[in-house]
């Protein structure tokens, strides 16, 4: 679905907080308007230090709301009405202060009152100094907002990692306007915004760990970030997701059921147990081999040199899930991490494994453990789509939307 198809006629309330990233909110308004959305804006006093109400008014085509108690504003559209008018509330930049107020139900100005009064989903695009973002108080506030039951929910896009205006480096930069736009598109996709409601999915992520003895093992390089982001994006579109995860240091996405595994055989069993499912996305970096005859005690260093370790092949989980049968998911997606000949290798993998789509990524670049990824999607029907390098969450949202489109068709 193009952004225009999803966003045309949709109503966005944009709350612009105080931060240097506020200038990017103007570009976001431009992109939203171009896609046919209606935008009203709230500018906090701190936000007004960075962008002028005049720019926001000119770009949105509507007066900008700046204060809670303004008689002329209340006669046009009261702040409660404004928060209900929107299909989605977007806070960009979402400062530590705005997040803290929302997480704790504080309502002492227009932005915080609107966030408390709305009955719509809220998308936060955090932007702050890296130390502030990593502070446990901010992290706890974000988790708290995500976790409220019976609330319409909070989604978060970004922050990105990189050099910041304050000269420090790390996560804290506001997501780029294009990434915020695709997050908005994802949240609003479909008539009810949850085009995968009623669908089930199983996603594998992370590496496997194959023991040699109680203290050593074989593993692959994988942070699990891309698979976790896919599980999260599918859940955001309404799917019921089981995430079968190898050992990684990531929190389970909200609403996703995580099953921890260590070895490929455990991963295979957990995937089988999660079937039937409509969708299978196998993004784990599964070890191709395991040790034949794992030692029960620690293998000692001996004068004769290192021990030889016999390897046997692990089951191919993706090929197993793709094999025809009653439990085969309707859509099976595999990954191909390649350093050369991406297209030829991805196509070969597509037919060898029997899956429906392959997401090819060139790992000759900086992919492992990083926030960004550039991928090409190959379908059995012969479609090829290249998606530019973007945060792994952006790739995940695009893939989830592509999956939703597939089921709609
Ligand atoms: O054969 P290769 O490892 O390159 O294929 C990658 C794809 O196959 C990924 O989707 C990966 O999750 C899946 N795979 C699997 N089980 C294996 C090996 C790979 O599911 N034993």
């Amino acid at each position: 679905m193009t952004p225009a198809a999803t966003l045309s006629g949709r109503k966005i309330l944009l709350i612009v907080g105080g931060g240097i990233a506020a200038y990017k909110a103007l570009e976001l308004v431009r992109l939203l308007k171009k896609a046919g959305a209606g935008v009203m804006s709230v500018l906090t006093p701190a936000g007004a230090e960075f962008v002028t109400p005049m720019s926001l008014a000119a770009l949105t085509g509507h007066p900008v709301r700046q204060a809670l108690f303004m008689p002329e504003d209340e006669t046009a559209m009261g702040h409660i009405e404004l928060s209900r008018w929107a299909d989605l509330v977007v806070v960009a930049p979402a400062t530590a202060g705005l997040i803290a107020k929302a997480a704790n139900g504080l309502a002492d100005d227009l932005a915080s009152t609107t966030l408390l009064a709305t009955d719509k989903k809220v998308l936060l695009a955090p932007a702050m100094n890296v130390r502030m973002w990593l502070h446990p108080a901010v992290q706890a506030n974000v988790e708290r907002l995500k976790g409220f039951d019976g609330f319409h929910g909070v989604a978060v896009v970004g922050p990105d990692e990189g050099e910041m205006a304050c000269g420090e480096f790390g996560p804290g930069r506001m997501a780029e306007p294009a990434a915020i736009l695709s997050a908005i598109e994802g949240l609003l996709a479909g008539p009810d915004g949850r085009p995968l409601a009623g669908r089930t999915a199983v996603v594998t992520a992370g590496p496997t760990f194959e023991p040699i003895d109680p203290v050593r093992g074989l593993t692959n390089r994988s942070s699990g970030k891309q698979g976790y982001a896919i599980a999260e994006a599918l859940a955001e579109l309404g799917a019921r997701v089981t995430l079968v995860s190898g050992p990684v240091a990531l929190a389970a996405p909200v609403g996703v059921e995580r099953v921890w595994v260590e070895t490929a055989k455990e991963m295979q069993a957990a995937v089988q147990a999660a079937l039937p499912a409509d969708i299978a996305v196998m993004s784990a970096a599964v070890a191709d081999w395991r040790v034949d005859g794992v030692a029960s005690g620690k293998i000692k260093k001996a004068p004769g040199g290192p021990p030889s370790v016999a390897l046997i092949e692990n089951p191919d989980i993706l090929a197993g899930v793709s094999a025809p049968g009653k439990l085969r998911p309707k859509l099976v997606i595999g990954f191909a991490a390649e350093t050369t000949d991406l297209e030829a290798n991805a196509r070969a993998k597509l037919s060898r494994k029997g899956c429906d789509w392959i997401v090819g990524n060139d790992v000759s670049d900086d992919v492992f453990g990083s926030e960004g990824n550039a991928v090409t999607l190959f379908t059995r029907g012969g479609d090829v789509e290249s998606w530019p390098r973007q945060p792994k969450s952006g790739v995940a949202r695009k893939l989830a939307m592509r999956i939703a489109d597939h089921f709609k068709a």
Side-chain angles (χ1 to χ4, degrees):
M1 212 175 335
T2 61
T6 312
L7 293 174
S8 171
R10 306 308 294 271
K11 303 192 252 345
I12 310 291
L13 177 63
L14 175 65
I15 298 178
V16 180
I20 186 64
Y23 76 93
K24 292 194 204 168
L26 299 177
E27 172 65 4
L28 176 64
V29 173
R30 206 185 58 76
L31 294 175
L32 284 166
K33 295 288 288 183
K34 201 169 133 205
V39 186
M40 297 266 233
S41 62
V42 166
L43 182 61
T44 67
E49 299 287 335
F50 295 90
V51 294
T52 68
M54 185 64 88
S55 330
L56 265 177
L59 285 165
T60 59
H62 294 287
V64 179
R65 305 289 301 261
Q66 289 184 267
L68 188 51
F69 302 114
M70 298 287 282
E72 62 275 23
D73 286 350
E74 293 299 303
T75 50
M77 195 191 280
H79 67 274
I80 305 286
E81 240 178 306
L82 188 66
S83 72
R84 306 289 162 78
W85 163 86
D87 293 314
L88 181 73
V89 179
V90 179
V91 189
T95 59
L98 275 173
I99 292 171
K101 283 186 185 182
N104 293 284
L106 232 76
D108 63 351
D109 58 17
L110 180 57
S112 54
T113 307
T114 307
L115 285 171
L116 204 56
T118 188
D119 58 351
K120 300 298 164 23
K121 193 152 190 156
V122 175
L123 174 67
L124 303 176
M128 63 197 75
N129 168 272
V130 51
R131 289 281 145 233
M132 291 170 74
W133 172 249
L134 295 176
H135 195 290
V138 174
Q139 290 297 313
N141 283 336
V142 171
E143 288 312 310
R144 184 150 200 255
L145 277 168
K146 282 185 177 172
F148 285 139
D149 267 350
F151 174 60
H152 284 80
V154 165
V156 180
V157 56
D160 290 349
E161 205 161 292
E163 197 171 336
M164 311 192 56
C166 55
E168 290 183 35
F169 191 90
R173 278 163 63 115
M174 190 169 87
E176 291 303 319
I180 302 175
L181 187 78
S182 47
I184 293 173
E185 195 193 345
L187 293 169
L188 292 177
D192 59 355
R194 299 182 59 88
L196 290 176
R199 300 279 177 193
T200 48
V202 53
V203 178
T204 66
T208 66
F209 181 86
E210 312 292 336
I212 296 173
D213 67 14
V215 298
R216 306 183 181 93
L218 296 176
T219 192
N220 280 3
R221 283 183 76 182
S222 169
S223 67
K225 283 181 185 168
Q226 186 61 79
Y228 272 59
I230 291 168
E232 181 167 27
L234 289 170
E236 268 175 22
L237 295 193
R240 203 145 46 78
V241 182
T242 304
L243 173 61
V244 180
S245 173
V248 296
L250 295 172
V254 175
V256 165
E257 189 195 335
R258 173 168 57 187
V259 181
W260 282 120
V261 296
E262 205 167 84
T263 66
K265 289 187 81 174
E266 287 168 10
M267 185 171 273
Q268 184 185 40
V271 168
Q272 287 300 327
L275 300 180
D278 298 300
I279 304 152
V281 184
M282 306 283 99
S283 69
V286 182
D288 290 316
W289 312 284
R290 67 176 179 280
V291 173
D292 190 10
V294 176
S296 58
K298 182 180 172 187
I299 302 170
K300 290 288 181 204
K301 251 199 278 188
S308 57
V309 175
L311 300 178
I312 48 175
E313 197 142 342
N314 263 332
D316 192 311
I317 304 166
L318 174 60
V321 170
S322 302
K326 266 216 323 267
L327 289 181
R328 188 195 192 277
K330 296 180 190 76
L331 184 63
V332 182
I333 305 171
F335 272 71
E338 305 291 344
T339 50
T340 52
D341 290 332
L342 183 62
E343 168 136 27
N345 286 320
R347 289 238 167 264
K349 206 158 283 182
L350 199 55
S351 58
R352 194 169 69 243
K353 306 252 185 182
C355 56
D356 303 301
W357 298 355
I358 282 273
V359 180
N361 60 336
D362 183 346
V363 292
S364 55
D365 221 12
D366 165 38
V367 170
F368 293 115
S370 81
E371 299 297 325
N373 204 359
V375 305
T376 306
L377 177 71
F378 302 92
T379 73
R380 212 163 6 160
D383 290 349
V384 182
E385 280 179 36
S386 287
W387 301 338
R389 189 178 173 84
Q390 57 192 303
K392 287 178 176 170
S393 57
V395 170
R397 285 201 176 93
K398 261 194 118 61
L399 185 66
M401 277 190 277
R402 191 68 171 69
I403 292 170
D405 281 353
H406 172 83
F407 279 98
K408 207 163 65 189

